């Protein structure tokens, strides 16, 4: 089975931390999601940074692969989105 990387884009660090915590508890992730600050191209202001929540999905869990629609819905709840695979 091939591993899949899901990337959720959030507007700020607080939202990213909240989503990472919810992902771990709701989906029973073995590995915690990784938070990455992503400065927008051409922007020098730290306020213009997006935060990425990176989830490695090996499909080893009891339910198999993570549901992309559920991940996107969680991101949308926090004013973000799931990057297409």
């Amino acid at each position: 089975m091939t591993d899949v990387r899901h990337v959720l884009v959030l507007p700020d660090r607080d939202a990213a931390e909240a989503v990472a915590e919810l992902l771990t508890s709701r989906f029973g992730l073995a590995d915690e999601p990784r938070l990455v600050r992503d400065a927008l191209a051409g922007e020098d202001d730290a306020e213009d940074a997006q935060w990425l929540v990176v989830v490695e999905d090996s499909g080893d869990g009891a339910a198999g692969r993570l549901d992309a629609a559920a991940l996107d819905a969680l991101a949308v709840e926090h004013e973000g989105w799931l990057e297409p695979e």
Side-chain angles (χ1 to χ4, degrees), residues 18-65:
V19 166
E21 195 172 302
L22 287 169
L23 284 168
T24 301
S25 64
R26 284 189 192 176
F27 296 100
L29 301 177
D31 296 322
E32 287 197 21
R34 206 166 31 101
L35 301 180
V36 180
R37 182 179 172 272
D38 183 36
L40 299 174
E43 297 294 335
D44 295 327
D45 188 355
E47 295 296 318
D48 292 325
Q50 295 174 324
W51 283 81
L52 309 179
V53 178
V54 180
V55 182
E56 300 295 336
D57 183 3
S58 63
D60 293 336
R65 296 242 178 259

